[in-house]
Every structure is written in C-alpha cells, then in structure tokens.
C-alpha cells in the first residue's frame, strides 16, 4: 500500500496476505501522522475491477481513540492519503 500526505515518512508499506494490516498500522509504519494531519478526513482509495477505484473517507481519530470499532483491513493496491488540517 502507499501512504501519502501528512505522515512523517510517506511511501510504500509492504505486508503479506498471511499477516494482514489495518489502516491505522499503515499510518504508524509511515512514521506516524504529522502534527498538522487531519485524522478525521483520511482517504482510502481502493482499486476495483475494470481499472476503477472506490474512495472512502475515514475518521481515523475515532478509531485511534477507541470510539469506533471499524478496522479497515488493507488490500493490495490501496492508497491512503492523510490530509493536512486547514488552519
């Protein structure tokens, strides 16, 4: 998967099907989020059949606080974009 945007080490994060990875773990492996990250509007773009993709907006802040039970297991080809907050 690719982790882009307001993370400390953007780039590719590898994982195997035998050891699935959740979205929050991928952000952590990318060095964590920067201090300007908007964790309430993280976008996950997932490829689907026919060269198309689906995009989901995920409130990672709630997942990290434990107020959301969402897991968001990642799949090959996923792209995670952590936007910056508008100050």
């Amino acid at each position: 998967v690719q982790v882009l945007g307001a993370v400390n080490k953007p780039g590719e994060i590898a994982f195997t099907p035998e050891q699935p990875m959740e979205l929050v773990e991928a952000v952590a492996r990318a060095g964590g989020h920067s201090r300007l990250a908007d964790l309430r509007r993280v976008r996950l773009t997932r490829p689907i059949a026919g060269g198309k993709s689906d995009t989901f907006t995920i409130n990672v802040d709630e997942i990290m606080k434990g107020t959301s039970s969402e897991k968001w297991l990642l799949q090959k080809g996923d792209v995670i974009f952590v936007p910056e907050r508008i100050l």
Side-chain angles (χ1 to χ4, degrees):
V1 298
Q2 293 286 327
V3 183
L4 308 170
V7 292
N8 293 313
K9 290 189 267 180
E12 186 173 305
I13 306 293
F15 68 98
T16 64
E18 295 81 25
Q19 294 183 325
M21 183 171 28
E22 295 177 16
L23 184 141
V24 172
E25 182 181 352
V27 172
R29 287 190 184 185
H33 59 84
S34 75
R35 63 183 185 84
L36 296 177
D38 184 353
L39 297 177
R40 294 172 294 147
R41 297 184 305 120
V42 173
R43 289 193 308 268
L44 171 65
T45 302
R46 175 164 288 165
I48 57 175
K52 297 179 181 181
S53 62
D54 280 337
T55 300
F56 307 90
T57 301
I58 303 162
N59 189 333
V60 172
D61 189 50
E62 286 185 353
I63 295 171
M64 292 173 73
K65 288 179 181 176
T67 57
S68 172
S69 62
E70 295 183 63
K71 296 292 181 190
W72 290 99
L73 285 177
L74 298 176
Q75 299 176 8
K76 181 180 178 178
D78 284 353
V79 176
I80 301 164
F81 179 75
V82 180
E84 287 188 348
R85 287 178 287 149
I86 299 172
L87 300 175

